[in-house]
Amino acid sequence: MTSSTFGRRATATTLFMIGALATVLACRGNETTTAPLASTALAANSRRADVGGSGEQSPPGNAYGRPAQPVVCADRKAVVESGVFGPSGGTLIFGDSRLIIPGGALRGEVTITATAIGGSSSEVDFQPHGLHFEKPVGLALGSAGCAVPEEGMPNIVYLSDDGTVLETISAQYYPQWKVVAAPIEHFSGYAIAFSR
């Protein structure tokens, strides 16, 4: 494969991820984000968790009261990536995952660091801790090598420092791209989880 072919594929993947996350954000009811025209096709190739039918964040568990369990992954390499982002937004790529920051989510410039923990975890920790966005940003966590169940509702969970699930965020799972995507509103630790 030539480098130009790789570049086109990487660009296509990034554009797909932006479209997928725009769909997730639009489904959540964010008035400043509109769903792309391809949202129907994306929905046909994804599984969506809808907590209580609202698409909103909830306490641990789902509409059926079953707790979301973080997935276990094959041994992964730890990854740390940083970038400076401002009001115009941008994308931070870390390993096979992405943080997509739309324009207007930040008031000023911020250095953002993503640390994918590695090992058997899908967990990523973001700095600066406690950073809140003016509007949701898209988090797409790569699920390659993770024990993703064939049945179940995809989630991204917000974790405490000791790994306790503090909040469950409904998500979409794209098996063909091996990614789970959801909107987040602040920084801390997040991981892929499924509830059955």
Side-chain angles (χ1 to χ4, degrees):
M1 177 184 330
T2 67
S3 62
S4 62
T5 302
F6 176 77
R8 282 194 299 271
R9 286 185 182 172
T11 300
T13 299
T14 299
L15 289 174
F16 173 82
M17 294 301 301
I18 290 169
L21 287 168
T23 300
V24 171
L25 293 171
C27 289
R28 191 162 184 272
N30 181 356
E31 301 84 20
T32 60
T33 306
T34 56
L37 295 175
S39 63
T40 304
L42 291 174
N45 294 314
S46 70
R47 275 192 273 159
R48 177 161 182 203
D50 193 3
V51 178
S54 67
E56 295 296 319
Q57 297 176 357
S58 72
N62 63 17
Y64 308 104
R66 297 179 209 130
Q69 297 296 317
V71 297
V72 175
C73 304
D75 196 35
R76 297 174 142 201
K77 182 177 154 185
V79 176
V80 179
E81 294 291 342
S82 293
V84 177
F85 299 91
S88 61
T91 301
L92 178 63
I93 299 171
F94 50 101
D96 60 355
S97 300
R98 287 168 170 68
L99 178 72
I100 300 172
I101 304 166
L106 292 168
R107 288 188 181 183
E109 286 196 346
V110 179
T111 299
I112 292 175
T113 302
T115 303
I117 306 301
S120 63
S121 172
S122 66
E123 184 178 350
V124 60
D125 186 64
F126 288 105
Q127 297 284 339
H129 270 259
L131 175 66
H132 281 264
F133 296 98
E134 298 297 311
K135 58 183 176 181
V137 301
L139 176 59
L141 294 178
S143 64
C146 296
V148 172
E150 288 189 25
E151 300 279 326
M153 302 300 272
N155 302 280
I156 287 181
V157 290
Y158 164 41
L159 302 171
S160 67
D161 290 340
D162 67 0
T164 302
V165 174
L166 298 176
E167 184 176 43
T168 300
I169 304 166
S170 60
Q172 287 192 294
Y173 172 51
Y174 297 91
Q176 70 276 32
W177 297 98
K178 296 189 176 1
V179 69
V180 175
I184 61 171
E185 297 178 353
H186 60 86
F187 273 171
S188 192
Y190 294 95
I192 298 170
F194 276 77
S195 51
R196 300 181 193 206

